[in-house]
Amino acid sequence: MRYPQELNWPFFEAAHRDFKSRLDAWSTAQLTHVARDESQPTIDAECIRLVRLLGEGGWLRHAVAGMAHGAAQELIDTRQLCLLRETLAFHDGLADFAFAMQGLGSGAISLFGTPAQKAHYLPRVASGQALAAFALSEAQAGSDVAALQCRAVATEHGYQIDGGKTWISNGGIADFYVVFARTDEAPGSRGISAFIVDADTPGLHIQERIDVVASHPLATLRFEQCHIPATQRIGEAAQGFKVAMATLDVFRTSVAAAALGFARRALHESIAWARTRPMLGQHLADFQITQTKIAQMATLLDAATLLTYRAAWLRDQGQRITREAAMAKMTATENAQQIIDMAVQMHGGMGVRKGHIVESLYREIRALRIYEGATEVQQLIIGRDLLKG
C-alpha cells in the first residue's frame, strides 16, 4: 500500500514519508486481511494477540503521549496516527481496531492524567501489555453525552459508581476502563467527571457481550457499588465532558483515516479484479462503465484524503479543528461506504461471498458512520460552528 503522490502533499514532512515506508513493510510482513472464525472467544484472543504484536512492533508508542511513559514523542502526532490507522485498516480491520482502542482508551490519561496515572498506565498501553477502553456511551446516551445517567457519588475514601455503559469497545477484554459518570456538580454536561476503573475492581461486571456485523470485542458494563479511590479521577471534578470531547477531538480524525484505509483496499481489489476478470471476450476493465466506476471511486477517495490530512495537519499546527475533524470524519466514512458498495457490485457474486475481502470491508465500514459521532451529528457540529461565525 504505497501512494507517493499523496505523501508528497505539503501536509507531510520527510519524517512522515519514512514512517509510512517502515509501517508498510511491517504491515505487509505481519498482517493479512483474511477471513476469521468470528466467534467471541476467537475474536477476543486475536484482538489481544494483535495488541501485543503492535506493542512489540513499537507502533502503540504513537497512540500515547509523553516519552517518559513509553510514547514515541511528547505530543501525539496526528498525521502519524492517521497514517497508522489508514495503513492498518488497509491490511487488517481488526488490527486497526486494536490500535485505535489503545489510543482512544488511554487518550484521556495522556491529555489530563496525573503524573502517577500516566506512569502507571501509559507504559503498559504503549508496550501492548495492557488493553484500554473508553466507556462513555449508555443505552439512552450515545451522541447526547449530557444525558449520561451512570453516577459517581463522592465517599469518604473516593467514589462509588453505579449504573451502566454499553457499546464499549474492548469490553470484556480490557485491563482498565476510562469511565464517564455523573457527579452532579451542575446539570447537563457540566456535572460529569472522568475516572479510571481497573477491570478487576469489585462491583464492575460484564453484563452482556454484544455481537455486531463486523465482529469486534464489545460489551455492556454494569457498575454496582463499585468503589474507587479519589486518585482514580482524571482531571478536575465536573470536567469530564471537557475530557471526553478533547479525547474525541484527537481521535475523530483517525476514524476518517481508517475509512480511507478500507476504501483504498476496496479500490485496490477492484482494479485487480477488473484487470483479470473475463467478460464477453474481453476483461471487465475494458468496458467504459467499469472505467467510470473506477474513476468515481478514486475521486471520492482523493476528496476524503484531502479533508482528512488537512484536519490532521491543522491539529499538529496547534489549531482547533472541531469543524475540520467533523468534515473529515463525515466525508471519509460516507465516501468509503460508496466506494466499497461499488467494489461489491463490481465483484458480483464474489462481492457478497462470506470471507471475501470486499465482503468483509462492506461489514467493517458500516459502523464507522456511527461511532465517535454519527454522520448526522457531524453535520450538526459543522453547521453550528459556521453559524457561530
Side-chain angles (χ1 to χ4, degrees):
M1 180 203 169
R2 292 174 176 83
Y3 47 104
Q5 179 183 353
E6 286 87 342
L7 285 174
N8 284 327
W9 288 348
F11 298 131
F12 300 104
E13 301 165 11
H16 294 109
R17 288 185 279 275
D18 175 67
F19 177 83
K20 180 63 167 62
S21 178
R22 291 185 287 109
L23 177 59
D24 266 332
W26 183 89
S27 299
T28 300
Q30 299 290 340
L31 303 175
T32 179
H33 216 303
V34 297
R36 290 186 171 96
D37 171 9
E38 296 193 355
S39 64
Q40 178 195 312
T42 301
I43 292 297
D44 285 356
E46 183 65 1
C47 195
I48 293 169
R49 184 190 72 82
L50 286 167
V51 169
R52 304 283 192 260
L53 185 67
L54 289 163
E56 291 167 4
W59 304 113
L60 293 179
R61 297 174 62 233
H62 299 278
V64 300
M67 296 174 70
H69 308 301
Q73 54 266 316
E74 285 305 309
L75 300 175
I76 291 174
D77 184 312
T78 316
R79 286 165 291 177
Q80 285 186 341
L81 189 70
C82 288
L83 286 170
L84 265 158
R85 290 206 63 186
E86 181 177 356
T87 305
L88 294 175
F90 180 93
H91 286 278
D92 182 355
L94 193 61
D96 166 64
F97 172 90
F99 174 85
M101 290 309 108
Q102 289 296 94
L104 183 63
S106 65
I109 302 173
S110 284
L111 293 172
F112 297 97
T114 65
Q117 290 170 347
K118 292 178 180 180
H120 182 68
Y121 290 101
L122 295 184
R124 294 188 294 138
V125 171
S127 66
Q129 296 307 303
L131 276 72
F134 185 78
L136 178 64
S137 296
E138 298 179 6
Q140 303 301 321
S143 299
D144 184 7
V145 177
L148 292 183
Q149 295 300 312
C150 183
R151 294 186 179 276
V153 177
T155 66
E156 182 180 354
H157 302 292
Y159 290 88
Q160 176 181 308
I161 302 178
D162 291 278
K165 294 288 176 181
T166 194
W167 303 112
I168 307 306
S169 295
N170 275 356
I173 64 171
D175 293 287
F176 68 89
Y177 300 84
V178 171
V179 178
F180 297 85
R182 182 162 298 288
T183 43
D184 283 340
E185 290 85 356
S189 62
R190 294 174 295 168
I192 296 169
S193 300
F195 306 92
I196 307 169
V197 182
D198 291 322
D200 59 359
T201 304
L204 168 56
H205 309 284
I206 306 301
Q207 179 174 314
E208 177 191 17
R209 295 301 301 272
I210 303 171
D211 192 19
V212 291
V213 64
S215 191
H216 295 152
L218 286 168
T220 297
L221 313 180
R222 189 71 194 166
F223 299 89
E224 295 176 346
Q225 297 183 25
C226 181
H227 292 274
I228 58 170
T231 54
Q232 293 296 91
R233 192 184 69 212
I234 302 174
E236 298 298 321
Q239 293 297 304
F241 183 79
K242 173 185 174 182
V243 171
M245 294 304 103
T247 305
L248 290 171
D249 271 351
V250 173
F251 291 95
R252 183 169 286 133
T253 306
S254 80
V255 179
L260 297 181
F262 292 136
R264 200 173 297 281
R265 184 59 182 265
L267 177 58
H268 173 86
E269 295 296 326
S270 296
I271 291 172
W273 177 259
R275 285 172 171 167
T276 58
R277 173 67 170 170
M279 179 67 67
L280 300 176
Q282 302 182 77
H283 285 99
L284 197 58
D286 296 321
F287 292 89
Q288 287 186 344
I289 187 64
T290 304
Q291 296 161 17
T292 299
K293 289 297 181 184
I294 293 290
Q296 290 175 343
M297 294 162 79
T299 303
L300 287 167
L301 180 56
D302 266 19
T305 303
L306 282 162
L307 284 176
T308 299
Y309 286 105
R310 177 189 71 165
W313 175 77
L314 285 172
R315 187 179 183 280
D316 286 341
Q317 309 313 303
Q319 296 191 37
R320 174 181 174 271
I321 62 161
T322 300
R323 185 202 309 170
E324 291 81 2
M327 287 179 172
K329 201 268 186 184
M330 175 183 71
T331 303
T333 57
E334 292 292 331
N335 285 12
Q337 182 80 67
Q338 293 183 60
I339 292 166
I340 294 168
D341 186 72
M342 283 189 272
V344 169
Q345 192 73 12
M346 191 179 298
H347 278 76
M350 291 299 293
V352 292
R353 183 172 181 173
K354 190 76 169 177
H356 193 279
I357 290 175
V358 294
E359 182 271 340
S360 67
L361 291 170
Y362 193 81
R363 291 185 291 114
E364 288 279 7
I365 191 58
R366 191 59 187 85
L368 271 67
R369 294 168 58 202
I370 299 172
Y371 76 67
E372 291 193 40
T375 293
E376 292 76 13
V377 173
Q378 305 311 318
Q379 291 170 337
L380 288 174
I381 291 170
I382 297 162
R384 287 172 177 173
D385 192 67
L386 287 166
L387 287 169
K388 284 193 303 186

